[in-house]
Amino acid sequence: GLVTREQVNDAIGSQKPVNPNSLGEILKQLGIIDDAILAMVLTQQHSVDGKTVPIGELLVQHGFISRKQLDLALAEQKKRQG
């Protein structure tokens, strides 16, 4: 069925604040991926043998970004974190 506006607002209110220096946000800021791609890959991110697969690896595996684009975004992330 459909969700109510109240349910949507509750869901939005319970979301964690977005970290502008997260890899996904950096890739969005660089115009490499969009919200839809990020959301889809985040829902697929899960633990394999107790280890969470990094978001960048998932994006590469699914063909959304190249290894070069991942390296570029990781370098930007490192630069931002000092």
Side-chain angles (χ1 to χ4, degrees), residues 10-23:
D10 285 348
I12 290 170
S14 67
Q15 288 179 335
K16 294 177 186 168
V18 173
N19 176 357
N21 295 327
S22 70
L23 186 63

Side-chain angles (χ1 to χ4, degrees), residues 23 26-27 30-33 56 59-60 63-76:
L23 186 63
I26 290 170
L27 287 163
L30 295 173
I32 297 171
I33 63 170
L59 287 163
V60 171
F64 292 119
I65 66 172
S66 67
R67 178 71 52 191
K68 187 175 181 179
Q69 289 170 317
L70 175 58
D71 291 343
L72 175 76
L74 288 171
E76 176 64 24

Side-chain angles (χ1 to χ4, degrees), residues 2-81:
L2 297 174
V3 294
T4 65
R5 177 160 297 285
E6 184 179 343
Q7 289 171 317
V8 170
N9 288 337
D10 285 348
I12 290 170
S14 67
Q15 288 179 335
K16 294 177 186 168
V18 173
N19 176 357
N21 295 327
S22 70
L23 186 63
E25 287 301 311
I26 290 170
L27 287 163
K28 282 178 22 185
Q29 291 163 13
L30 295 173
I32 297 171
I33 63 170
D34 60 21
D35 283 322
I37 291 172
L38 181 57
M40 184 177 68
V41 175
L42 285 172
T43 63
Q44 295 177 358
Q45 189 178 29
H46 59 279
S47 293
V48 176
D49 297 330
K51 295 181 182 177
T52 302
V53 180
I55 191 76
E57 288 301 319
L58 283 175
L59 287 163
V60 171
Q61 287 172 14
H62 289 290
F64 292 119
I65 66 172
S66 67
R67 178 71 52 191
K68 187 175 181 179
Q69 289 170 317
L70 175 58
D71 291 343
L72 175 76
L74 288 171
E76 176 64 24
Q77 185 181 45
K78 189 172 185 176
K79 188 169 78 174
R80 290 183 186 191
Q81 292 173 344

